[in-house]
Amino acid sequence: MKTEERRTAICPRCGKAYRGRPALSRTDNKTYICPDCGTREALESIGVDEKEQEEILATIHSHTEHQDI
Ligand SMILES: [Zn+2]
């Protein structure tokens, strides 16, 4: 298992601090955003509305809350 670099970054999309692997924004393909926003953009691209996006994220978080992220 390789060690992943852990550093805190600020997501330019939602303004929240996050750690872990960033996601590349689909809007310009050069901005790195937090994993949550990466999920939001992915869901948005398949036509999921904002309310449903948050529900899906909440579900993802409830399965990953034991992890140190
Ligand atoms: Zn974000």
Side-chain angles (χ1 to χ4, degrees), residues 10-16 18 33-38 40:
I10 304 293
C11 172
R13 194 172 191 269
C14 66
K16 281 202 304 189
Y18 67 96
I33 56 177
C34 71
D36 282 1
C37 286
R40 285 188 186 100

Side-chain angles (χ1 to χ4, degrees), residues 2-65:
K2 67 173 185 176
T3 309
E4 205 174 294
E5 195 188 344
R6 288 285 175 107
R7 60 200 171 122
T8 305
I10 304 293
C11 172
R13 194 172 191 269
C14 66
K16 281 202 304 189
Y18 67 96
R19 280 195 292 167
R21 205 187 316 189
L24 190 60
S25 174
R26 288 159 179 258
T27 55
D28 64 6
N29 270 315
K30 62 181 181 186
T31 304
Y32 285 98
I33 56 177
C34 71
D36 282 1
C37 286
T39 302
R40 285 188 186 100
E41 288 194 349
L43 293 171
E44 207 173 281
S45 73
I46 55 167
V48 176
D49 68 39
E50 217 167 285
K51 184 176 173 287
E52 207 174 334
Q53 289 171 28
E54 296 308 317
E55 285 171 4
I56 291 166
L57 280 170
T59 304
I60 292 169
H61 290 165
S62 71
H63 292 290
T64 56
E65 63 189 2

